[in-house]
């Protein structure tokens, strides 16, 4: 045991990796349907191991925290700037109301109960599950003109309050949004979801499976015998099925395979490779002629390609409008990913710059569509570290600038600057995706490992004083954390429904996004039995991350 303790104290890098291992293990433990998650798990592991009084340099946590914040900004940047558009104003308004109410409720509770600024910052971070407040508030406290011992005590109080209130902020709100939220609005969530589905699809009898139907396609070979199709161009034949997308990909004529162009004439006896939805082929394929087995005709390369929408002319178009373009011929849409979230879509869904469209079709057709839409986001393992390094460096310099408001010095801090520059660089990547590539796997490392290393080091530093702090303020914090977590959501729901007249399904998704509670979105979707709440999630999530992170130095300034 003495050997282990000595090794951990003298080689702090080993301590960090042990904390991560134990923390991820704790985070994966499940109690029924509930789990603590890796962030809280790592914090508790850090507190536990921190009882050995292990000192880890503060620079370590700052490096990983900056990396985490830059990645968050990079992910939400395109949607953040999209949120500034007029059509997203109701969602922005709800987000601002929720986040401001969160700040004011935490501040008011702290003043009434005489909490110190460290405990208040931890209350704010935990009640709204926004771990970034721990870093930005701690950085702000470290800059105060106070004795070093006082600053250390205040910073160590942050994770204590965070750990106590996090469980309330997560578990209760995940239950509250899908159950109490609809009651506050006097609506049936499932019924409202069906109404919204009918509205966006067009017709109450439209099948909910229309989204998945757009993704299923097949290619079959038919010998053309239908006289209506003979001696007509490929384009004319493809236009015959009203409201359906059908394409002739290749033609076998006189034992030779011909690539089908829009102006190619179909002759008697031609064998055509028809590509469309599988159910349409099953229902109407026989109208072309008899189905034949032609392995060579059907053996052509089909590509699945993710495309980042960067073409300004394409932004704002509906999927129906995109499907009518010549460049979309032969191409089908599998899914839309926005802000890392797969979005439900219909023919009337509008795409935004920065959206990732997963396309499938014959390789030449997919390549043509990708060129028209934007930039093909091909799988790669290489991260543009020039982009990442410069972004964090420039953001840090901007964040160190200070502005005095009402006699209080306010600063973004270097970490807050990294978040802001992540927004800008994420938007630049969406507009000009030829640089700044960060693969999904790398983003997971930057985001998850960056945050958990930071939280783990916070736990290690607070370990020796954690138990004492918990005994001193634990009981009251549970009740206060419940109020601070619930009140902003109640205010936002009532404001959004009865003042802005927002659709209740979209509103609940917006509340989950504004509070940055992805688990809340999942719970609302399950209760609604629909993916549609995600339509209100992305823009509020982007703005909520920014505002709640900024509240760290603001709450310190207010408490001061």
């Amino acid at each position: 045991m003495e050997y282990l303790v000595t090794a951990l104290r003298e080689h702090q890098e080993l301590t960090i990796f042990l904390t991560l291992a134990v923390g991820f293990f704790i985070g994966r433990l499940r109690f029924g349907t509930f789990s603590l998650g890796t962030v809280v798990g790592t914090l508790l592991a850090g507190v536990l191991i921190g009882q050995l009084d292990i000192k880890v340099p503060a620079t370590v946590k700052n490096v990983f925290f900056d990396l985490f914040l830059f990645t968050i900004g990079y992910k939400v940047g395109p949607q953040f700037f999209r949120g500034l558009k007029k059509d997203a104003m109701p969602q922005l308004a709800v987000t601002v109301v929720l986040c401001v109410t969160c700040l004011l409720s935490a501040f008011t509770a702290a003043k009434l109960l005489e909490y110190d600024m460290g405990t208040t910052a931890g209350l704010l971070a935990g009640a709204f599950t926004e771990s970034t407040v721990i870093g930005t508030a701690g950085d702000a406290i470290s800059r105060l003109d106070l004795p070093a011992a006082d600053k250390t005590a205040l910073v160590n109080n942050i994770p204590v309050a965070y750990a106590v209130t996090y469980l309330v902020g997560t578990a209760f709100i995940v239950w509250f949004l899908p159950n109490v939220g609809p009651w506050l609005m006097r609506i049936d969530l499932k019924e409202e979801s069906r109404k919204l589905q009918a509205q966006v699809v067009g017709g109450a009898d439209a099948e909910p499976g229309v989204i998945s139907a757009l993704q299923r396609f097949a290619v079959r070979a038919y010998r053309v015998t239908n006289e209506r199709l003979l001696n007509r161009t490929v384009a004319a034949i493809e236009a015959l099925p009203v409201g359906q997308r059908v394409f002739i990909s290749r033609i076998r004529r006189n034992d030779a395979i011909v690539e089908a162009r829009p102006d190619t004439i179909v002759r008697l006896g031609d064998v055509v490779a028809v590509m469309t939805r599988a159910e349409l082929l099953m229902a109407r394929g026989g109208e072309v002629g008899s189905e034949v087995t032609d392995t060579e005709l059907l053996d052509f390369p089909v590509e699945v390609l993710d495309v980042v929408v960067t073409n300004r002319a394409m932004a704002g178009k509906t999927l129906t409008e995109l499907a009518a373009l010549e460049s979309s011929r032969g191409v089908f849409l599998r899914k839309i990913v926005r802000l890392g979230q797969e979005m439900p879509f219909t023919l009337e869904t509008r795409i935004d710059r920065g959206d990732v469209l997963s396309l499938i079709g014959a390789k030449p057709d997919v390549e043509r569509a990708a060129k028209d839409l934007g930039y093909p986001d091909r799988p790669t393992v290489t991260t543009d570290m020039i982009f990442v390094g410069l972004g964090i460096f420039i953001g840090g310099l901007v964040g160190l600038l200070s502005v005095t408001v009402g006699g209080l010095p306010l600063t973004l801090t270097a970490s807050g600057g990294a978040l802001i520059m992540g927004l800008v660089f994420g938007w630049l990547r969406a507009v000009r995706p030829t640089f700044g590539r960060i693969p999904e796997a790398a983003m997971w490392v930057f985001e998850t490992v960056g945050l958990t290393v930071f939280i783990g080091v916070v736990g290690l530093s607070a370990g020796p004083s954690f138990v004492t702090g918990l005994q001193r303020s634990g009981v009251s914090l549970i009740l206060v954390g419940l109020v601070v977590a619930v009140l902003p959501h109640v205010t936002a729901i009532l404001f959004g429904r009865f003042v802005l007249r927002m659709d209740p399904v979209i509103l609940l998704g917006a509340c989950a996004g504004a509070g940055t509670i992805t688990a809340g979105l999942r719970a609302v979707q399950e209760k609604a039995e629909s993916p549609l709440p995600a339509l209100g999630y992305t823009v509020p999530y982007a703005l909520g991350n920014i505002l709640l992170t900024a509240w760290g130095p603001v709450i310190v300034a207010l408490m001061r």
Side-chain angles (χ1 to χ4, degrees):
M1 187 64 183
E2 182 179 352
Y3 167 76
L4 176 62
V5 173
T6 301
L8 293 177
R9 286 176 176 171
E10 294 182 356
H11 299 276
Q12 294 91 351
E13 70 276 14
L14 300 182
T15 304
I16 292 174
F17 284 113
L18 177 61
T19 302
L20 288 178
V22 176
F24 274 69
F25 174 76
I26 294 175
R28 290 179 180 177
L29 295 177
R30 303 195 69 84
F31 306 92
T33 59
F34 179 75
S35 63
L36 291 175
T38 56
V39 175
V40 175
T42 306
L43 175 62
L44 295 179
V47 168
L48 178 63
I49 298 172
Q51 302 304 313
L52 300 176
D53 195 22
I54 299 171
K55 307 297 183 184
V56 178
T59 302
V60 175
K61 68 176 183 178
N62 293 337
V63 168
F64 282 92
F65 190 56
D66 288 353
L67 193 59
F68 160 73
L69 284 181
F70 179 83
T71 306
I72 288 292
Y74 177 89
K75 288 178 61 177
V76 305
Q79 286 307 306
F80 175 77
F81 287 102
R82 176 199 173 274
L84 303 179
K85 296 180 180 179
K86 184 177 180 180
D87 62 342
M89 290 307 296
Q91 296 179 24
L92 290 178
V94 166
T95 304
V96 171
V97 167
L98 189 146
C99 292
V100 170
T101 305
C102 172
L103 175 68
L104 295 179
S105 58
F107 173 69
T108 302
K111 283 298 185 181
L112 291 176
L113 297 175
E114 298 182 348
Y115 290 156
D116 60 74
M117 64 182 67
T119 300
T120 306
L123 166 66
L124 182 65
F128 265 73
T129 65
E130 186 60 44
S131 309
T132 56
V133 174
I134 298 176
T136 55
D139 195 4
I141 291 174
S142 67
R143 296 173 180 275
L144 297 177
D145 185 18
L146 295 173
D150 291 346
K151 290 192 287 188
T152 300
L154 290 172
V155 170
N156 287 343
N157 283 344
I158 298 177
V160 175
Y162 172 82
V164 173
T165 56
Y166 177 88
L167 297 179
V168 175
T170 300
F172 192 80
I173 295 302
V174 168
W175 171 84
F176 177 88
L177 284 177
N179 293 284
V180 181
W183 177 82
L184 288 173
M185 295 184 284
R186 301 294 189 267
I187 56 102
D188 183 301
L189 185 57
K190 294 180 182 178
E191 179 61 28
E192 292 297 329
S193 295
R194 284 192 287 268
K195 290 180 181 178
L196 182 60
Q197 178 75 23
Q199 177 184 343
V200 297
V201 174
D205 296 329
E207 294 184 10
V210 68
I211 294 174
S212 59
L214 291 172
Q215 302 177 53
R216 296 195 300 266
F217 85 105
V219 185
R220 294 186 179 180
Y222 298 91
R223 188 176 303 279
V224 182
T225 57
N226 188 335
E227 293 184 357
R228 291 181 58 217
L229 309 182
L230 297 178
N231 302 315
R232 304 187 69 168
T233 64
V234 167
I237 295 174
E238 292 176 344
L240 288 176
V242 179
Q244 305 288 351
R245 302 185 74 229
V246 179
F247 303 103
I248 297 176
S249 300
R250 307 173 91 193
I251 301 174
R252 177 182 289 281
R253 178 175 297 163
N254 299 327
D255 296 328
I257 293 179
V258 178
E259 296 300 327
R261 298 190 305 270
D263 58 351
T264 302
I265 304 294
V266 175
R267 307 294 185 187
L268 179 64
D270 284 351
V271 177
V272 295
V274 181
M275 177 186 298
T276 186
R277 292 187 292 120
E279 50 266 54
L280 184 60
L281 286 174
M282 293 176 63
R284 301 184 58 183
E287 296 179 13
V288 179
S290 58
E291 184 173 0
V292 300
T293 301
D294 193 328
T295 304
E296 184 182 7
L297 181 66
L298 300 179
D299 186 16
F300 59 90
V302 172
E303 184 176 21
V304 177
L305 182 64
D306 289 342
V307 179
V308 182
V309 178
T310 60
N311 188 340
R312 190 183 299 272
M314 297 297 170
K317 288 186 179 295
T318 65
L319 295 181
T320 298
E321 292 171 331
L322 289 181
L325 299 176
E326 175 61 28
S327 59
S328 299
R329 180 181 176 273
V331 177
F332 293 83
L333 177 65
R334 298 176 66 242
K335 63 181 179 180
I336 300 176
V337 176
R338 180 178 295 166
L339 199 62
Q341 180 82 23
E342 184 172 344
M343 302 296 295
F345 63 86
T346 69
L347 295 176
E348 297 307 312
T349 297
R350 296 185 183 276
I351 64 170
D352 295 323
R353 295 176 79 185
D355 284 354
V356 179
L357 308 185
S358 180
L359 307 180
I360 186 169
K363 192 172 186 299
D365 294 334
V366 170
E367 297 288 342
R368 182 186 64 248
K371 184 177 180 181
D372 200 33
L373 287 169
Y375 184 78
D377 196 19
R378 301 183 189 282
T380 179
V381 297
T382 304
T383 298
D384 188 347
M385 285 307 299
I386 299 175
F387 179 86
V388 175
L390 282 178
I392 296 176
F393 171 71
I394 297 172
L397 293 181
V398 172
L400 292 175
L401 299 175
S402 179
V403 177
T404 302
V405 179
L408 295 175
L410 297 179
T411 177
L412 287 172
T413 73
S415 299
L419 175 63
I420 297 300
M421 202 52 61
L423 286 172
V424 175
F425 275 40
W427 174 77
L428 288 175
R429 160 72 183 173
V431 176
R432 294 285 184 270
T434 54
F435 65 94
R437 167 72 173 170
I438 306 179
E440 284 295 327
M443 276 202 286
W444 184 90
V445 172
F446 292 169
E447 183 178 352
T448 304
V449 177
L451 177 59
T452 50
V453 168
F454 166 76
I455 291 295
V457 175
V458 168
L460 289 169
S461 301
S465 59
F466 187 89
V467 176
T468 302
L470 191 61
Q471 292 173 339
R472 184 173 64 250
S473 57
V475 176
S476 67
L477 271 176
I478 294 176
L479 299 177
V480 173
L482 181 63
V483 174
V484 173
V486 171
L487 181 60
H489 283 282
V490 172
T491 304
I493 289 172
L494 296 178
F495 175 75
R497 180 58 176 167
F498 298 109
V499 177
L500 299 181
R501 305 293 182 183
M502 290 179 63
D503 182 277
V505 178
I506 300 296
L507 176 57
L508 290 176
C511 288
T516 67
I517 305 177
T518 304
L521 173 65
R522 299 283 188 269
V524 172
Q525 288 176 321
E526 290 177 4
K527 188 75 173 182
E529 297 181 356
S530 169
L532 292 177
L535 295 174
Y537 177 81
T538 55
V539 171
Y541 178 80
L543 181 61
N545 268 286
I546 306 306
L547 290 180
L548 292 176
T549 300
W551 287 169
V554 170
I555 196 68
V556 170
L558 290 174
M559 292 300 296
R560 189 182 177 196

